[in-house]
Amino acid sequence: MNENLLAEGKHDQEPPRTFRLHDHATNVKAFCDNSIRTSKYSAFPFSPRFAVWKNLFEQFHRYANCYFLVVATLQLLPGLSPTGQFTTIIPLSLVLFVTFCKDVFEDYRRHQRDAEVNSQTINVYRNNTWQMVLWRDISVGDLVEVARDISRGEFPADLLLLWSTEDDGLCHIETSNLDGETNLKLRKSHSENAQTQHPPFSRSDPSTFQGNIFCQPPNKDLYNFEGRLIRGDRPEDTSAIGIDSILLRGAKLGGSTKKVVGLVVYTGSHSKLMMNQQATRHKASSLESMTNRQIIFIFIFDIILCSTCAAGLGVSTNVSMDHWYLAAEDLNPVWTAVTGVATFIILFNNLIPISLYVSMEMVKIVQAQLIGSDLEMYHGATDTPANARTSSLNEELGQIQYIFSDKTGTLTCNIMDFLKFSVGEMSYGTGTTEIGRAAALREGRALRDDRPPGIKLEKGFFFYDDRVSDVHGQSREWRWMHQPNRGQLEHFFKILAVCHTVVTEEETDESGQPVLTYTAASPDENCLVCGMRYLGIKFIGRDATHVSIEVAQANGKPTVEKWRLYEVIEFNSDRKRMSIITRDPMGRLYLLTKGADTVIYDRLRRPVSREEESTNRVTKTTLERFGADGLRTLCVAQVQLEEAQYAEWAPLYKAATESVGDRQKKVDAAAELIERNLELVGTTAIEDKLQDGVPQAIELLRTAGLNVWVLTGDKQETAINIGYACALLHSSMEVFKFDENAPRESIGGKIREFMHDAQRSKARNPNIDVGVVIQGATLVDVTSETAPLENKENFLKLTEHCKAVICCRVTPGQKAEIVRLVKDGLGQVTLSIGDGANDVAMITEAHVGIGISGLEGMQAARAADYAIGQFRFLVRLLLVHGRWSYRRVSKVILYSFYKNILLYLTQFWFCFCNFFTGQSLYDRWALASFNLAFTGILLLTPRITLDPVIRFSALQPGSGKTAIKDHNSQAYDTTNRGAKLNTANQELRPDNQPRCQSAFRVP
């Protein structure tokens, strides 16, 4: 075996953490305390966080506030201000004070929450006794006892699990407050090597548990932990610590676990929860950027006006020397003109509206509340309302040009139904899918559901095949037991019932009878394990060393089998598979694995017989057929290990799991050494139905001028059929498909060929729709940093002609690369929408990120700017709220500019009547209250009438095209946006109206 694969990687920049257990005096000095602080300000005047200084520092990061501070300072100089000394500083102070009060009030509530959390009590072992201490007084190295009846079972710090009331030291936890996932997760007490001579942890005498912890420095990775527990000098006294033994702050006890004891590893601001509390990357809308540019332009215009008037003052002073009654003999015209610049800057200071930012913020906050309270975007099935996690991008929703969507859980329900499977060359299962019916209709074939009428289907189990089982009411007949390949079928079912990370929990039904329920990290695993239960192989539980299953027998008396569990190599998005090393009841040592067909087929052994070669070939055809029906497929494989082979590999894997620094890469490398020479056993096919309203939503979005891209990890056939089923593709569309098996050197030529074909097609028929289907392997030469620039440019030119693009077999990193390519290459406003942790990268990369609160957890929703319950709500979010926000914020900006330009250009014209003396036309207090009064009137009298596109039921299926086309000038039209906020220009025309109107308002 190649041990170089496990070579040490680079460690984190911060050195690893080392500390001794029970050494409270040393640890409390070496590490931060356990108090948390989410507040920004302090009430202590000499603190750098003092509320007044820090808030003012933040507010003067806005250029407009700095500008008005300079003007207010000039006004205080005697003899310069024609409008009084306080007409600017009072409104500025009011704006600063209101913002200060808002920020301090929000921070005061944070202080209250922090004090409440830090003052909770917990049972800690210190000075050889258990005692109650405050959360804030916990230190690294303490032993902490967490109980369900104290602090709701929440963990006060990041803990290493040492003891639990559950059998075998297992612990069920809820992490919904940490990562949003509602399913229970299983943690196991830290286990040491059997060869160690040191006593294990004892709840009755914790003082005997001594040692040192060596672990990675604090970081914000919630799904990884690398460390070692060192009890002595011998290698046998060192044991690895992984994330499966870590209880993170923010999680709490769940299930039947009543009490646990844990060792504190990270405290306070070093806990992974607090490390993840950092502010996300700031996203500024293009409208806000445009407003800043307009402010700079108006400032330049202001300087031009001031210079013109100052020059006029110099000329007037020179002329006035000839008139003795003006007493101008002692004045220097040049110096008078220079000092006049300051006077006119004060006179025209409010050409830039002092209340603009406040007005915009107030409008956006109300808009965010409207989004959250819109019942049309409330998903009752999951009790999920729309959630605007930021208000700064509301108007950006009305300018989206490109939408990048995940498939599973975003376009589909992520509710899995076990439908079909194959073992050897035999395929089992009947019935049709929504996507399969759409594909058959497109090809003109008749497709019928061949399941018998009246068949009762269980939730999550839509499988029927009379060769396997007959399910009617409560009676079950396991017909697979009478098939010639019974042994193959039973072994396949057992693999699926054993190879997983599902957790069992016993509940009671309505009649009070105990019911065994399953909790899984993904709906796929839950579906497969439930499916095996309906087929006679029931998973009944697991402990630290065994997985127990109940196997149905022909005599009706099931038997219980225990499979010895040695290693679990978990699934991740890079490996695309999960494996276990186990020993069956017959004593045979197996590596069992299930995963994507691409990774499994790459690791299959060379066929040892014609029968095995035929099985591999037929199974690939079966997978293509399943994929054509839009089914989610997995391959199941195994390899029987030699004892010596496992004995040689196990130390390498142990070293990888105990490493500190790049542990996951080393574990993956170790897994590669054993996950080879696999024998294909069978496949599974699960249906994931489309969400309600997805085809109509995509049709309406495309009709409104938006480009929709689907980024998925599915096979090409599955992705294409889903594209047709959700109306992304249609039969009259010309679709260009890249061949993933094509040589890499030919990809650039293929892109150019497709680009020229698309251009010719558009030239012949401008109304023709074009689509592209491309695989992740091909995208490596398009989106990666090392891809040729010509490929990127030609691919973007090709996609500019496309109404739809489907990228299949893509990784999470490639999703972000695709978004970045379009965002930077085309300069268009982008939106990404997804529901899982694998979508977070593309959600944060896009201008606007939308998270769907789905069954894969809340990672995407928490990382997003907006969260919704279903894909179809995206239509209303963009076409209604996005358009309203864009128009309304535009009008607020234009109105703010309009009223101030109108007012102060009148002052400019008046200068020609007063000899450029800087005399104000208005009363000073009228000037001071002008912005406040007029802005308040604007915000208190919004237009309530609905836009024509809404009155037109445009969001109803079938009516979208008519509504959009008939009201193109009013609808969400992404192709008609210039540089001048044109949705409101037609009514306000800020460039011309104020200038003309100001001239007629001079008395």
Side-chain angles (χ1 to χ4, degrees), residues 812-827:
Q814 283 183 311
K815 291 182 179 181
E817 289 176 354
I818 293 167
V819 176
R820 190 182 307 118
L821 176 68
V822 174
K823 183 177 70 172
D824 297 340
L826 298 180

Side-chain angles (χ1 to χ4, degrees), residues 787-892:
L789 181 60
E790 182 185 6
N791 286 2
K792 296 182 179 182
E793 294 175 347
N794 289 337
F795 182 74
L796 289 175
K797 291 177 182 178
L798 169 62
T799 57
E800 282 186 293
H801 297 290
C802 298
K803 281 288 187 181
V805 176
I806 296 178
C807 303
C808 48
R809 296 293 197 189
V810 292
T811 64
Q814 283 183 311
K815 291 182 179 181
E817 289 176 354
I818 293 167
V819 176
R820 190 182 307 118
L821 176 68
V822 174
K823 183 177 70 172
D824 297 340
L826 298 180
Q828 301 288 354
V829 182
T830 58
L831 178 148
S832 293
I833 179 170
D835 74 315
N838 61 334
D839 302 318
V840 170
M842 74 169 183
I843 284 174
T844 54
E845 182 63 41
H847 292 94
V848 180
I850 307 292
I852 289 185
S853 306
L855 298 180
E856 290 188 17
M858 295 286 290
Q859 297 98 319
R862 289 173 182 260
D865 305 302
Y866 301 87
I868 55 179
Q870 293 273 281
F871 180 85
R872 68 179 184 272
F873 298 149
L874 184 63
V875 174
R876 187 168 181 85
L877 185 64
L878 299 185
L879 303 193
V880 179
H881 291 283
R883 179 169 176 270
W884 278 355
S885 298
Y886 181 67
R887 289 173 59 83
R888 289 169 176 172
V889 173
S890 298
K891 289 186 177 183
V892 167

Side-chain angles (χ1 to χ4, degrees), residues 651-686:
L652 295 176
Y653 185 73
K654 181 178 183 296
T657 58
E658 291 179 353
S659 62
V660 178
D662 292 333
R663 175 182 292 181
Q664 189 58 56
K665 292 181 180 179
K666 297 169 188 175
V667 169
D668 292 350
E672 286 285 350
L673 301 177
I674 195 102
E675 292 174 328
R676 55 177 59 175
N677 298 321
L678 301 176
E679 175 190 359
L680 187 63
V681 178
T683 66
T684 63
I686 298 172

Side-chain angles (χ1 to χ4, degrees), residues 21 161 206 210 224 324 340 360 521 558 571 573 647 702 705 754 758 858 927 951 981 997:
L21 280 63
L161 178 61
Q210 298 290 337
N224 182 46
W324 61 268
M360 289 174 60
F571 174 92
S573 57
R702 287 176 50 193
F754 285 163
M858 295 286 290
L927 288 174
R951 293 201 300 266
L981 313 177
Q997 294 175 5

